[in-house]
Amino acid sequence: MLGFEALDQRAPGDYTLVYMAASSMAAINMGIYYVFAAASEFRSFYLWTVPFRLLTCTVFTILVITEAAPAEFLGVGLWEGAGALITGAALWIEARRGVITRWIPERQPAVSPVPGK
């Protein structure tokens, strides 16, 4: 689908499958981070993702331009870029509506388990 050639056999020392497994695990973890950030309304997390997703878009696009990756891979970069712009726009709209995005979430005062303390 992305234009990569499927090899029937891998050369000794080819760690492509290990890299794919590690990248997949990282992607799953990032998805979980997104869910937890949304559940806790930690908007700063999303703010931080915007420049890094734009960087990802840039790097993936350069890989296609330099022919290190097939042309079909450009869709992955564009997907990240579009996601960054949509996220940035949503945060900007929320800020205009008065929703506060803090770099560090406010800490709630600790509640003592002992009554009166």
Side-chain angles (χ1 to χ4, degrees), residues 5 9 12 27-28 48 51-52 55 74 86 96 102 111 113:
E5 182 182 343
Q9 188 172 355
I28 290 168
W48 299 335
F52 290 105
L55 176 63
L74 183 61
I86 291 167
R96 291 196 38 111
R102 296 181 179 86
V111 177

Side-chain angles (χ1 to χ4, degrees), residues 53-84:
R53 290 182 79 184
L54 289 173
L55 176 63
T56 301
C57 172
T58 302
V59 170
F60 287 1
T61 301
I62 289 170
L63 288 172
V64 172
I65 291 170
T66 61
E67 297 181 356
E72 293 88 348
F73 194 66
L74 183 61
V76 178
L78 294 177
W79 179 263
E80 281 298 307

